[in-house]
Each structure stands twice: as C-alpha cells, then as structure tokens.
C-alpha cells in the first residue's frame, strides 16, 4: 500500500470509510494503531491517526459491557477496521411505533391490542433466552405493579447467558443449514456456537463479529470463527464463501449470478466472481495425522503468494478468465491491485461488507432480528433483500438500520429497542383477520426452533436434554477427559438427536415452517415423552397431582408449567367433561390432558 | 373408534395449506376446509396404482462411497488395472460381469449396464448431492432430491403413507419442495419406523386426538391462533392417519414368507430391498435402499466382495420378484453410487475416487434389459463409447417415469429450478 493508493482509495465514492482500509500506508498503521474502540462523543470520528487523542475522552458506555479486542494491523499495514464513527441512536421505541402506525392508518387497519403480561412474559422469554418462563416467574411478573416492568424484564433477559446461548444457536443454524460440507462432525458446529455465545455475551458489535468470521484462520477446534470456512470446505471455497457472505451479511443473493447473468437481478456473472476473488487463496485442510476414532481438526490457512482467481469461460469449458477482486456494491471505477495476498483480500472484503456506508449490512441484520421477534420481516425471506425486492414498511427498516449502523452495530441495543416497541408487544392474530395479514399490526406466531423446543420439553416434562456424563468420565483423568466427555455429549446427546428431527433453517420464512411427520410422531409416541407424561412418583404430573388435590388448581399448575398461561374457562370446561367421561379417573384424565398440551399447536409455537 | 373427521381429512390430501392463502401441492382445495373428498373406506378400496398416478414407482439402490466399476459390472480381465478379476458369464451371451454378482448375472436379461457414465465431482458429499439432484450443491438453493421430485410428480396426495422412504441412512432431502416430500427415514428395515406405534392402546390414542381437537377449539384456535391450529391439525391428521393406517403393515418385512426373505438375503440391505418392494406394492412412490462402505481406499477387492454378498442377492431378488409380480414394467430400479474408482490400484490394495468413468445398472419401467451401453477403454481410464452425463441419466429416468424434466419448481426466491437442467434422453436404453 502506498500513499498513491490512499489517493486512489479516496476516490471510492460510495465507500468513503474504506479509504483508510485500502489506503493506509504501513508507516501510519504501525505507528498509530487504533486504540480500543469505544463509544466516543457524538459524531466523533475514530481514525487511525486520531484515536489516541479521542481515547482520552472516550468512556466505556454503560451499555457496552465489554471492550472489543484491540484491532490488529495486518501485514503490510492494511487495517482490519475502517474508520468507524459512533453517532448514538436518537430513535426510540415510540418513534418506531409512530412510523408503523402511519402505515397502519393508511392501510385502514386497527392493530391488535398490546398483549397481556402473561402473553408478554412467555413471548419475551422464548424470544430472548429460548426458554419458557417458570410458573413462579410468570406469577411474580404478572403481580408486579412496576410500570416499567416490561422494560426491566427485557434488560434482565438481555444480560443473561441464556440470551447469548439462544442467539448463538440461531446463528450457528443460519450457517449450518447451508453448509456445503455436510460432514457435521468434522465441521465442529459446537465450536461455532460457543464462539457466537461469547461474542453475544460480551456484546461485541456485529461488524466485528462478521469481520472475524470472514477473516478467521487457524484450527476449528481452537477458533470457532474458522467453522464458517470449514463449513464450506469443498472444491470452490471462494465461491461458496462469497455466496454465503453476501446472503448472510448483506441479504443479497448474488451467487445466483455464479453461472449465468440473471434476468431479474442487476448483478452480472462477472461481479459475482469479482466478489469471490476476495476469498481466493484460502485453504481448509486436515490438521495433523488422522487418529482412529477421533475427529480430525481442520485448519483454515491463507496462502502467502497472491492468489489467482479465475472464472470459467462459458464459451470454452477448457478456458478460465482471470478475475481481480472488486466489490459489487461500489460504483467506483477503481480497481484493487490483483497482487494482494489472501489475508489482505479477506480483510478488505470484511471492510467493504461491514462499512458504515454500506446500508445492506445493517439492513440484513435488522431485518433478520425484527423478523425473528415479530414473526414477519420487512423483507421475506430474510436473506433476500434485493435490490429488486420490495420491502414492507421500508421507512421503518431504513430509519432503524441507518441509526443502528451509525451507532456502531450494538447488538443488545437493537434487541432492546425492538422488544420495547408496541409493535412487538401486540397480541398475536390469525391471518383470518385483517390485523393478522397486514404486517406488524399484530405479532405473528411461528414455530419454535429445535433448541427452545427441547428446552420447553425439559421444563414441561423433565425429559433429559444434555445427557449425563458417567463418573468414570469425570474421575481423576484430568480436564482433558472432562472436555472430551462434554464434547461427546454435545455431539451425541439428546439435544443433538432432537435437533436432527426438529432442526430448521432459520432463514426459511416463518410462514413456510409447517412441521414434519417425524416431529409429530416424536411428540405423539416417543417413549421418553410418553414415560414423562405418566402420572407416577418422580414425574412432573405425579408431583402436580399429589400437591394439588383440587382438580382446578392441578389444571392451573399444569397449564402454567407447559403452556406458561392459565387455562381459559372453556378449556376448563372441556377438561372437566373429559373427567366425567372417564368416570372420575383423575390420573388417566390428566395424563390425556398433558399429552394434549404437549401435542398442541401452542406448545410448539412462539406466540 | 376414533374421530371420523381426523381420518377423513387425513385421507383427503397431504393437508398442507400455507398461511398466506396459496395452495401448496395439488388438489388441496378442500383439505384446509376439512371437507373430505373421500371417506376412509373409499380410500382403502382404491388399490396402490390408482393412488399413484400412472402407477409408476422407482427404487434406488444407493452404493454410498462410490462403487468400483472394476469389481462390479465393468471388469478388465485383460489389463493390470483389472486386478486379476476373472469375469463371470451372465444369462445374456456376451455380457460378462465381475464375480460375486452371480444373482445379478442370472437376471441380466432385465438389466441395462451403463459402463460410460462420466462426471467431474470427486468429493463424496458434493457428488452424492449431484447424483441425487442433478445439480452441484450451492448455498442458496437446496435442490430437491430426485426421489422427492418423483414423489411430488407421481404420488397421490390422498395416500396415507409417506410418498418417499429411505432405508438405511439419511439421504438428500426434499429441498425447495418442502416437508411433504421429505424422505421418511427407516434405519433398520427389520424394525418398524421409530415412534410409529402408539404407546397407549389405540382407543386411548384416538380419544386423546379427540380431546386435543376440543382443547384447541376451546383455546388457541379461538384466541388468534386459528390458522396455526389448522396447519398443525393438518399435519397431525396426516401423522395420525399414518399411525392408524392399515397400510403400515407394509413396514413389516417379517410378514413375508421365509423363502422370500431368504432369497433377498438376511442382511440389512437384502431385507431393505424386500421392504422396498412391499412399500412400492402398497403405493409408496419412491424408495431408496442404501448400502454403505463402498469407499474402498484399502483392500478394495476384498471389501467389494463382501459388499456384493449382500447387494447381489438383494438387487437380483428384487428385480426377479418385481418381475414375477408384474410390477417391474412400472417400477424403475436403479443401482448406482456417487462416482467410480481409480483404474490404478493404490499401495493399500485400494482404489480412490474416480468420477471420470463409472457404471450404473438399471432395470424395469421400460428400460431395455440385457444390454451393455457405452464402454470404457481397456485400462478403464476413459470413456471410449457413448459417454453418459448425470443429466442424461436423470432425463432418461424422467422419460421412463413419465415426468416432464422441463417442469420448473420455484425456489423461495422465486427462482425457477428445472427438474433436470440440460442433458439428453439416452434413447438406446428405452425398450
């Protein structure tokens, strides 16, 4: 990189922030590495040169729980992070609601009411932490007279490690379900899950998370971020990476242009391959010798020599056309030197993708989270945003994404904002009603993902989830043995088997998830479920029936435990009639009821 | 006995109705409304062929790992690459195959051996995906497996068992065709499918289904969950229909007479082939039976010999049994794997991945048996006659199964995906 490059880089019109990434000379980068990024005063610019001075006035925000690791200068002085400015968000939940209300008024639809505390507490617990609220939590929340109790609960849940784990699993699945390397055991998705969980727990900004995934090197049993590349180990790592990076982080399906210019999308085949060229020169290979019975670690490495990327010539299958990296969202005519090595190429790709003037990056994330929380996205499916697609309520997405991006991609803050809106807290409605059809006039119920569902089964019935490690595994052989035993369970335990039946790709639209026959067979007939449904000493139902001699209070306890709500008078009536039909056989009656609750629509639904 | 409505509706369609109001699949107009087009007994009266459009079905025998062509149906006795294999004669004069395939040799009159299949994909996962779907894997589109396509094109929505069953391990899924055509997996052919048996007596199981309906009507369906309850109920009707279906007895191979069970071979693969026949007989449209362990990088000859001892009886008994029951003319049987193996024998007496030349065997459904199509060179390293590409093969399958290969299914992005992209029907294979 030379000063000359700095000048040229400065002309990249639409990606100003990248000028630093492309153009910093090694001297500057080495002498003035950015300090820990932290929230600085409004509109202050943290540049490589200016960061020392700004460091003094920058204070760690109370909302920013952790400080990101020090960005490293890459070989040759290419900074991993472009200049990032922090402009705190001014938009709040009320402002978002006002924007939504405008379209609802225009559509002449009366939105659903704000939901009850009981409905809210189940929804927010499942959405944030992936877990049902316990009966006593529901009771104390509903009893509380604190006017800010919903906001307080939201804050508390967002600070829990369950929040980090739940969303780590969500993102693990986003990557896993499109992995082209289908040997799950070798890819080590649990490592990726742990890696995400740590990032979310520390509230690392989304651009840093994305950059690390795009540029990770090392072993997949040491660095969870490498799993993204290992997941696509195959013949065309660059092609797969380019397609997935664009889909996941930008919501743009440019890989459709891999083979042909696509009639409906503006991207050309060449543009796809120019993007893929950023990911050339990266290899995934087995690390160390194969040991019988052990899963080999894999290693992601960047070749040292500048890689050559070429796309197939459609006219002559024996020929290939060399392609230099170029980002398809930039309008600039500047070309990136072809002799960049793999490390610089990927760092540059990460800088382009996550740059603050690339609106797609923020939109893709905001759209996804909003869609997961409200059951409906501005764009559906969540990974196809355009540019020829039309958003619903685009001005809401735009306002939210623009401000969130300018404020530095604070993940928890985005959750907090959305969860506090009236739009999120509305009652759910069926599509048989107008409010159920018009986006965001009601919360749209959807099927639970596999992990929250098995946790719900655990809470409702005490079915084993994590499996047990025997005493021998834990006895005396040191930490390594423990780690191995835990790893084994994470690969073989009930949670994994359950995931094999109930797992779904989180990028599939809510409305398209309809359940499968093996799933309903499992809930209907699986021995572990049916054993746990029986009323006998040691089971959930056995305890409830012995603690509540009165049928109504037993029914209440059962509903709270399984569906996290009280039964309606109509439901009580149906249950009482069932008891009469069974001539008062209480035990049989309650077993039937519990079986029905587990097999109900509501149990498998976030609502 | 149990709620009549449950059975009626389960029989009236695959019961999947999308929330936003458009219909998935075919003939589902009444399903979502709970109107039964056919009663329970009516459905039972229909035979399997009426339930399956045009009566055609397909059984795929999948040799996972990539079977060696040299030790199966393209032996090379005159070349060092052949590994000293001495071929055996078949019932068709002039066709010789590797030893260990004596059963197949006897039924050679029904079988077309293709010795000139050629492809470029040498990675297990990617090649398996390609041979199953006709497409190379891509992150965006999950292409449907050919079995799911056959099931969706030929399967009757009124059928109460899954349209597509896989025996002996997971296979490529339904992709964009959705859950209705997801293969139903059976791990062990001698054990009925997991969780298919109710854990309580049937009358109590049915009583619970009735209570579930009433509770949902009284609760979630009234309070804003109406559409979700309908979807869920459709799925449960389909599932309960299967649990209570008299057709589930098709899953029980032990009901077959002993001599027939013996003929197929008392191995998981042999019994899997027998189960496949029973399922097709009962109206299932597509069955895949998987044989694992063909990735013979070491001790190739020995291991293929062992594998052949279970695959040969299963394959040949299946073809003969279908023939004697008059089912072969409507059932396509395909024997194949994801690629072939290297002509050169490696230092571990194994053969490595080789997609450039490999072989496939087909029978039934209008395939002209008793022939060898195409040829590989003397050393087995190249196709020298009539190369056949993966899409040529799939197009030929479409032709004999009466499926339009040009039909497009839509990806979630609205991108049309042809059933088969490119390729030409291999006319020489047609009777």
């Amino acid at each position: 990189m030379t000063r000359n490059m700095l000048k040229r880089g400065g002309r990249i019109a639409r990606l100003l922030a990248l000028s630093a990434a492309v153009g910093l000379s090694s001297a500057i980068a080495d002498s003035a590495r950015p300090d820990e990024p932290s929230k600085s005063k409004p509109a202050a610019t943290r540049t490589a040169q200016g960061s020392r001075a700004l460091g003094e006035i920058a204070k760690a925000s109370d909302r920013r729980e952790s400080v990101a690791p020090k960005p490293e200068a890459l070989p040759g002085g290419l900074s991993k992070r472009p200049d990032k400015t922090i402009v705190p968000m001014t938009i709040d939940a009320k402002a978002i609601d006002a924007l939504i209300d405008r379209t609802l008024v225009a559509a002449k639809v009366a939105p659903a009411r704000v939901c009850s505390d009981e409905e809210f507490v189940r929804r927010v617990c499942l959405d944030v932490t992936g877990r049902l609220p316990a009966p006593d939590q529901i009771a104390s929340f509903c009893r509380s007279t604190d006017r800010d109790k919903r906001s307080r609960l939201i804050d508390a849940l967002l600070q829990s490690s369950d929040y980090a784990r739940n969303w780590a699993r969500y993102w693990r699945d986003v990557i896993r379900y499109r992995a082209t390397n289908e040997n799950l055991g070798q890819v080590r998705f649990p490592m990726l899950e742990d890696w995400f969980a740590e990032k979310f727990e520390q509230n690392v900004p989304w651009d840093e998370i994305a950059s690390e995934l795009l540029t990770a090197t090392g072993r997949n049993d040491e660095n969870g971020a490498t799993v993204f590349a290992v997941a696509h180990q195959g013949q065309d790592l660059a092609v797969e990476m380019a397609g997935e990076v664009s889909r996941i982080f930008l919501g743009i399906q440019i890989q459709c242009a891999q083979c042909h210019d696509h009639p409906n999308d503006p991207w050309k085949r060449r543009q796809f391959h120019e993007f893929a060229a950023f990911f050339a020169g990266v290899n995934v290979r087995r690390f160390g010798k194969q040991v019988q019975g052990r899963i080999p670690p894999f290693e992601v490495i960047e070749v040292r020599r500048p890689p050559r990327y070429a796309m197939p010539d459609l006219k002559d299958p024996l020929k290939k056309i060399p392609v230099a990296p170029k980002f398809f969202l930039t309008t600039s005519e500047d070309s990136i030197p072809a002799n960049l090595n793999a490390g610089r190429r990927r760092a540059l790709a990460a800088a382009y993708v996550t740059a603050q003037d690339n609106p797609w990056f923020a939109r893709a994330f905001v759209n996804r989270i909003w869609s997961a929380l409200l059951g409906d996205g501005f764009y559906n499916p969540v990974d196809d945003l355009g540019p020829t697609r039309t958003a619903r309520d685009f001005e809401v997405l735009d306002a939210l994404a623009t401000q969130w991006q300018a404020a530095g991609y604070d993940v928890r803050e985005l959750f907090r904002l959305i969860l506090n809106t009236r739009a999120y807290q509305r009652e759910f409605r069926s599509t048989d009603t107008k409010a159920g059809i018009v986006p965001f006039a009601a919360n749209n119920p959807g099927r639970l993902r596999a992990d929250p569902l098995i946790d719900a089964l655990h809470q409702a019935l005490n079915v084993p989830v994590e499996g047990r490690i025997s005493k021998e595994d834990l006895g005396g052989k040191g930490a390594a043995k423990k780690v191995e035993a835990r790893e084994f369970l994470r690969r073989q335990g009930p949670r994994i088997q359950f995931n094999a039946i109930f797992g779904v790709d989180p990028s599939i639209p809510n409305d398209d998830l309809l359940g499968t026959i093996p799933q309903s067979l499992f809930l209907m007939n699986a021995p572990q479920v049916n054993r746990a449904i029986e009323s006998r000493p040691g089971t959930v139902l056995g305890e409830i029936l012995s603690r509540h001699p009165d049928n109504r209070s037993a029914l209440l306890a059962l509903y709270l435990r399984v569906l996290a709500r009280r039964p309606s008078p109509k439901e009580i009536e149906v249950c009482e009639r069932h008891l009469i039909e069974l001539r008062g056989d209480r035990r049989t009656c309650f077993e039937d009821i519990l079986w029905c609750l587990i097999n109900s629509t509501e149990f498998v639904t976030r609502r | 006995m149990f709620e009549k409505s449950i059975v009626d509706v389960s029989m009236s369609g695959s019961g999947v109705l999308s929330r936003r109001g458009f219909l998935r699949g075919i003939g589902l107009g009444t399903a979502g409304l709970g109107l039964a087009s056919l009663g329970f007994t009516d459905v039972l009266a229909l035979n399997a062929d009426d339930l399956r459009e045009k009566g055609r079905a397909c059984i795929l025998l999948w040799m996972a790992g990539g079977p060696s062509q040299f030790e199966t149906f393209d032996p090379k006795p005159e070349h060092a690459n052949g590994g000293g294999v001495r071929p055996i004669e078949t019932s068709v004069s002039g066709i010789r195959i590797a030893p260990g395939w004596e059963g197949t040799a006897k039924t050679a009159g029904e079988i077309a051996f293709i010795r000139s299949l050629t492809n470029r994909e040498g990675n297990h996962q990617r090649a398996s995906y390609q041979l199953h779907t006709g497409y190379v894997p891509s992150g965006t589109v999950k292409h449907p497996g050919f079995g799911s396509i056959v099931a969706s094109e030929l399967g009757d929505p009124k059928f109460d068992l899954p349209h597509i069953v896989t025996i002996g391990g997971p296979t490529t899924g339904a992709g964009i065709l959705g859950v209705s055509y997801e293969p139903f997996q059976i791990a062990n052919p001698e054990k009925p499918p997991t969780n298919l048996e109710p854990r309580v007596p049937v009358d109590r199981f049915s009583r619970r289904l009735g209570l579930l309906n009433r509770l949902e009507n009284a609760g979630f369906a009234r309070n804003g969950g109406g559409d979700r309850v309908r979807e869920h109920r459709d799925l449960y009707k389909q599932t309960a229909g299967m649990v209570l279906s008299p057709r589930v007895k098709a899953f029980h191979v032990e009901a077959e007479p002993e001599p027939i069970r013996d003929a197929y071979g008392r191995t998981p693969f042999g019994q899997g082939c027998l189960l496949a026949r029973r399922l097709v007989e009962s109206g299932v449209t597509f069955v895949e039976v998987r044989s694992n362990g063909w990735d013979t990088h070491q001790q190739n000859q020995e291991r293929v010999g062992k594998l052949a001892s279970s695959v040969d009886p299963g394959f040949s008994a299946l073809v003969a049994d279908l023939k004697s029951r008059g089912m072969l003319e409507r059932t396509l049987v395909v024997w194949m794997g994801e690629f072939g193996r290297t002509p050169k024998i490696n230092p571990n007496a194994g053969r490595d991945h080789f997609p450039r030349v490999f072989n496939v065997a087909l029978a039934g459904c209008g395939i002209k048996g008793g022939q060898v199509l195409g040829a590989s060179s003397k050393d087995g390293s190249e196709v020298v006659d009539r190369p056949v590409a993966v899409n040529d093969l799939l197009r030929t399958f479409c032709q004999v199964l009466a499926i339009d290969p040009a039909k497009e299914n839509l990806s979630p992005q609205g991108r049309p995906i042809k059933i088969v992209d490119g390729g030409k029907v291999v006319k020489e294979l047609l009777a």
Side-chain angles (χ1 to χ4, degrees):
Chain A
M1 288 292 138
T2 61
R3 292 256 175 206
N4 206 18
M5 274 295 301
L6 178 64
K7 276 186 207 156
R8 272 197 282 152
R11 288 202 303 269
I12 295 180
R14 294 193 52 225
L15 285 149
L16 270 177
L18 277 166
S19 59
V22 182
L24 274 181
S25 79
S26 58
I28 291 172
D30 286 343
S31 63
R33 258 179 224 177
D35 279 325
E36 277 84 2
S38 47
K39 213 166 181 179
S40 57
K41 284 201 166 170
T45 305
R46 250 191 5 250
T47 63
Q49 290 99 323
S51 58
R52 286 226 171 122
L54 285 171
E56 292 169 16
I57 48 167
K59 277 184 190 164
S61 150
D62 53 346
R63 284 189 167 161
R64 179 75 187 282
E65 284 70 22
S66 75
V67 177
K70 196 164 189 165
E72 285 168 33
L74 288 164
L78 193 65
S79 173
K80 212 177 201 173
R81 286 167 53 78
D83 292 0
K84 186 171 163 184
T85 60
I86 305 282
V87 184
M89 296 175 84
T90 52
I91 195 167
D92 60 4
K94 277 202 180 104
I96 295 168
D97 280 320
L99 283 173
I100 290 175
D101 287 348
R102 272 215 315 244
T103 43
L104 294 182
V105 167
K108 296 199 174 97
V109 59
R113 284 168 307 192
V114 167
C115 67
S116 68
D117 283 344
E118 199 177 73
E119 194 173 321
F120 174 76
V121 69
R122 180 183 190 266
R123 182 185 302 166
V124 77
C125 285
L126 278 174
D127 286 347
V128 177
T129 66
R131 285 171 192 274
L132 284 174
D136 54 333
Q137 286 176 304
I138 302 168
S140 69
F141 181 78
C142 294
R143 243 190 344 258
S144 163
T145 52
D146 181 354
R147 284 188 61 192
D148 292 330
K149 65 180 177 180
R150 292 196 182 189
S151 296
R152 281 185 216 276
L153 178 62
I154 290 166
D155 286 344
L157 293 174
L158 285 172
Q159 292 302 329
S160 69
S161 58
D162 283 344
Y163 150 75
R165 183 58 58 182
N166 182 35
W167 286 91
R169 286 173 174 151
Y170 174 97
W171 285 99
R172 172 203 68 196
D173 285 352
V174 168
I175 292 172
R176 182 170 66 159
Y177 279 93
R178 304 294 171 97
T180 39
N181 177 347
E182 286 171 0
N183 197 333
L184 295 188
Q186 290 191 342
V187 177
R188 292 180 192 257
F189 286 105
M191 285 296 295
L192 179 65
E193 180 192 319
D194 287 350
W195 182 85
F196 268 123
E198 202 186 308
K199 299 289 162 191
F200 291 138
E201 186 122 33
Q202 294 170 1
N203 201 28
V204 173
W206 185 241
D207 59 330
E208 290 176 28
I209 293 177
S211 298
E212 280 188 56
L213 284 170
L214 264 62
T215 59
T217 54
R219 289 165 55 172
N220 67 339
D221 59 340
E222 291 175 356
N223 176 7
T226 60
V227 169
F228 185 39
V230 179
H232 293 283
Q233 183 196 11
Q235 288 198 340
D236 272 323
L237 187 65
V239 162
E240 300 300 345
M241 284 288 279
E244 280 296 90
V245 164
S246 179
R247 180 185 77 87
I248 294 171
F249 297 109
L250 303 173
I252 294 175
Q253 307 263 349
I254 193 179
Q255 71 286 9
C256 297
Q258 182 190 337
C259 315
H260 313 281
D261 289 347
H262 204 269
N264 305 329
D265 272 340
W267 316 121
K268 299 289 170 222
R269 189 170 163 260
R270 185 174 185 94
Q271 287 179 294
F272 171 78
H273 289 283
E274 284 168 346
F275 188 53
F278 280 112
F279 301 95
V282 179
N283 291 332
V284 177
R285 63 179 185 199
R286 183 181 293 151
F287 182 85
K289 276 189 186 161
Q290 176 109 46
V291 181
Q292 197 65 37
R294 284 266 177 85
I295 289 165
F298 283 79
E299 188 183 24
V300 178
I301 41 173
E302 293 167 338
V303 297
R304 277 209 207 120
R305 278 180 301 121
R308 282 197 196 100
Y309 183 86
M311 66 188 230
D313 187 337
L314 291 181
K315 284 179 210 128
D316 181 353
L318 295 174
K319 271 195 192 155
K320 288 207 156 199
I321 305 163
V323 178
K326 187 174 174 192
F327 189 47
F328 56 96
L329 290 174
T330 180
T331 53
S332 159
E333 289 307 307
D334 285 288
S335 63
I336 293 153
N339 63 359
L340 282 185
N341 66 24
R344 286 166 157 221
R345 284 184 185 214
R346 290 207 299 170
L348 194 52
Y352 272 117
V353 167
T354 65
Q356 277 175 302
D357 59 356
N358 170 11
W360 300 97
F361 179 65
R363 266 180 220 160
F365 187 80
V366 171
N367 184 55
R368 238 180 214 284
I369 302 302
W370 179 278
S371 175
L373 296 178
L374 278 92
D376 239 335
F378 302 102
Y379 290 95
N380 268 326
V382 289
D383 53 8
D384 192 12
L385 273 57
T388 53
R389 308 285 179 263
T390 316
R392 298 160 331 168
D393 290 71
F394 179 76
E395 61 287 357
V396 183
L397 172 64
D398 193 41
L400 198 50
T402 307
Q403 289 217 12
W404 179 69
Q405 180 160 43
Y409 309 109
D410 182 328
V411 177
R412 259 193 204 121
E413 190 55 38
L414 179 68
F415 273 95
R416 185 178 287 117
L417 193 52
I418 298 173
L419 294 169
N420 276 295
T421 59
R422 216 166 51 237
Y424 173 76
Q425 298 186 10
R426 281 197 244 277
E427 289 179 343
F428 56 87
R429 285 280 186 273
S430 143
T431 43
D432 302 340
T433 65
K434 200 169 180 192
I437 296 169
V438 175
F440 321 135
N443 201 300
N444 185 12
R447 228 176 144 76
L448 286 176
R449 287 176 293 114
D451 286 296
L453 189 56
I454 193 176
D455 286 327
L457 264 182
H458 175 68
Q459 156 144 354
L461 297 176
N462 249 338
V463 294
V465 173
E466 308 300 346
R468 277 190 209 106
I469 305 170
S470 69
K471 270 191 182 152
E472 294 82 67
D473 288 331
L474 291 171
K477 298 231 173 154
K481 186 91 185 169
K482 259 191 227 173
V483 169
E484 218 171 275
R486 207 168 50 228
E487 265 241 328
F488 174 80
L489 281 177
R490 291 189 63 178
R491 287 201 312 269
Q492 313 283 342
R495 185 179 288 280
I496 291 302
Q497 290 170 18
F498 191 83
N499 255 283
I501 301 176
F502 285 87
V504 286
D505 179 351
S507 303
I508 292 176
N510 193 12
D511 286 346
D512 290 352
L513 295 177
L514 300 164
T516 66
I517 291 179
Q519 289 172 3
S520 36
L521 280 177
F522 183 93
L523 293 171
M524 277 179 179
N525 297 333
Q528 60 268 49
V529 173
N530 275 266
R531 270 197 308 271
I533 278 171
E534 286 167 21
S535 161
R536 52 185 165 76
T539 65
V540 170
L541 185 57
E543 270 171 46
I544 287 179
L545 290 186
S546 72
R547 211 177 324 129
H548 301 274
D550 173 62
N551 284 335
R552 284 210 178 182
S553 82
L555 195 62
L556 174 67
L558 197 60
Y559 263 79
L560 277 176
R561 177 98 183 215
V562 182
L563 297 183
R565 66 168 172 86
R566 291 161 297 165
S568 72
K570 285 239 179 244
E571 285 167 318
I572 296 172
E573 206 184 301
V574 169
C575 291
E576 283 176 344
R577 219 178 311 133
H578 192 64
L579 186 62
I580 294 166
E581 274 167 32
L582 292 171
R583 296 193 196 86
D585 181 348
R586 183 175 196 237
R587 197 182 127 173
T588 304
C589 176
F590 271 93
E591 285 178 353
D592 287 353
I593 293 168
L594 180 51
W595 183 91
C596 290
L597 297 188
I598 294 296
N599 281 279
S600 69
T601 314
E602 209 174 339
F603 186 69
V604 297
T605 304
R606 68 160 289 282
R607 51 155 175 87
Chain B
M1 189 171 97
F2 42 81
E3 300 275 298
K4 185 154 190 308
S5 66
I6 287 170
V7 175
D8 278 352
V9 181
S10 74
M11 298 298 175
S12 73
S14 65
V16 182
L17 192 67
S18 181
R19 264 187 97 215
R20 296 296 183 190
F22 61 87
L23 297 173
R24 270 169 180 272
I26 26 171
L28 293 183
T30 58
L33 303 170
L35 300 173
S37 53
L38 284 167
F40 183 50
T41 44
D42 298 335
V43 173
L44 284 189
L46 296 173
N47 66 34
D49 292 344
D50 292 332
L51 281 171
R52 206 169 43 212
E53 210 170 325
K54 301 167 197 116
R56 290 185 173 91
C58 180
I59 298 173
L60 169 62
L61 309 179
W62 183 256
M63 306 298 115
S68 166
Q69 61 277 32
F70 300 94
E71 280 77 20
T72 54
F73 309 128
D74 193 9
K76 297 285 175 192
E78 273 118 49
H79 197 278
N81 288 348
V85 159
R86 287 201 303 205
I88 56 168
E89 297 294 333
T90 67
S91 60
V92 179
S93 84
I95 299 181
R96 303 199 304 164
I97 60 177
W101 297 91
E102 285 73 16
T104 308
K106 273 189 208 138
T107 46
E110 307 297 337
I111 300 173
F113 300 98
I114 307 175
R115 288 179 176 165
S116 53
L117 211 75
T118 180
N119 195 26
R120 292 160 83 172
E121 197 62 70
N123 166 294
H124 290 294
Q125 280 86 25
R126 295 174 61 87
S128 303
Y129 185 96
Q130 193 190 352
L131 269 287
H132 274 91
T133 65
Y135 290 86
V136 291
S138 99
T140 7
V141 181
K142 283 280 181 206
H143 301 94
F146 190 70
S148 299
I149 287 172
V150 174
S152 81
E153 292 297 312
L154 303 183
D156 190 293
K158 294 175 201 78
F159 188 51
D160 55 5
L161 296 186
H163 298 288
I164 166 169
V165 177
T166 299
I167 303 164
T171 185
T172 313
I176 56 172
L177 291 182
V179 292
S180 308
Y181 298 104
E182 204 56 52
F184 184 78
Q185 275 184 44
I186 293 172
N188 178 353
E190 299 193 62
K191 276 193 192 157
T194 327
N195 301 328
L196 194 50
E197 291 280 312
R199 302 285 151 180
V200 292
V202 167
D203 57 344
R204 190 173 182 197
F205 180 78
S206 307
R207 188 176 74 211
R208 284 178 171 182
L209 289 170
L211 179 64
L212 175 59
N213 264 348
R214 290 194 298 279
L215 278 177
E216 297 219 287
N217 286 342
F220 199 45
R222 291 169 60 89
N223 304 321
D227 47 356
R228 294 298 183 202
V229 170
R230 271 201 303 279
E231 284 162 16
H232 186 79
R233 206 168 268 173
D234 285 340
L235 176 66
Y236 264 61
K237 279 163 190 163
Q238 202 184 351
T239 311
M242 182 172 156
V243 168
L244 299 169
S245 168
R247 290 182 211 276
V248 290
K249 63 178 189 288
F251 286 107
H252 295 260
V253 285
E254 71 275 9
E256 289 285 324
E258 293 294 311
I260 291 192
R261 294 196 68 186
D262 291 342
Y264 277 85
R266 295 283 186 156
T267 60
F269 183 82
Q271 298 301 296
C273 288
L274 176 54
L275 178 55
R277 191 220 80 208
R278 286 180 63 86
L279 291 171
V280 166
E281 210 170 22
S282 308
V284 174
T285 308
F286 189 96
V287 184
E288 176 169 337
V289 188
R290 295 176 67 94
S291 166
N292 293 311
W294 290 87
D295 194 18
T296 51
H297 290 284
Q298 296 97 21
Q299 310 303 326
N300 167 65
Q301 229 171 68
E302 198 184 316
R303 286 172 59 192
V304 172
K306 217 171 155 200
L307 290 161
S309 70
S310 75
V311 173
D312 177 57
F315 180 26
S316 54
L318 176 64
V319 171
D321 199 7
L322 288 172
K323 172 95 177 162
S324 75
R325 285 163 195 265
M327 293 164 65
L328 189 61
E329 57 196 40
R330 284 163 294 118
T331 309
L332 174 65
V333 180
V334 180
W335 176 101
M336 71 177 180
E338 62 263 41
F339 39 61
R341 307 210 71 89
T342 42
K344 271 227 156 86
I345 298 171
N346 71 24
N348 298 322
R351 295 185 190 269
D352 305 318
H353 305 177
F354 196 67
R356 203 191 307 160
V357 187
F358 59 120
N359 66 180
V360 165
L362 310 176
C365 208
I367 292 289
K368 191 163 113 196
Q371 65 162 325
V372 167
L373 181 90
S376 57
S377 57
K378 271 194 182 138
D379 63 353
S381 66
E382 278 170 292
V383 171
V384 292
D385 180 39
R386 191 56 177 97
V388 175
V390 174
N391 50 6
D392 297 334
L393 190 68
L394 291 181
R395 203 163 262 266
T396 309
F397 295 170
C398 284
Q399 174 79 21
V400 298
L401 290 165
I403 291 169
D404 176 9
K407 183 178 162 180
E408 293 173 335
N409 290 299
L410 287 186
S411 80
Q413 284 77 37
R415 195 173 151 208
I417 310 285
K418 287 196 180 75
I419 285 180
V420 182
D421 193 12
K424 282 199 177 109
V425 172
V426 184
K427 293 238 167 71
E428 302 92 307
L429 287 170
L430 308 179

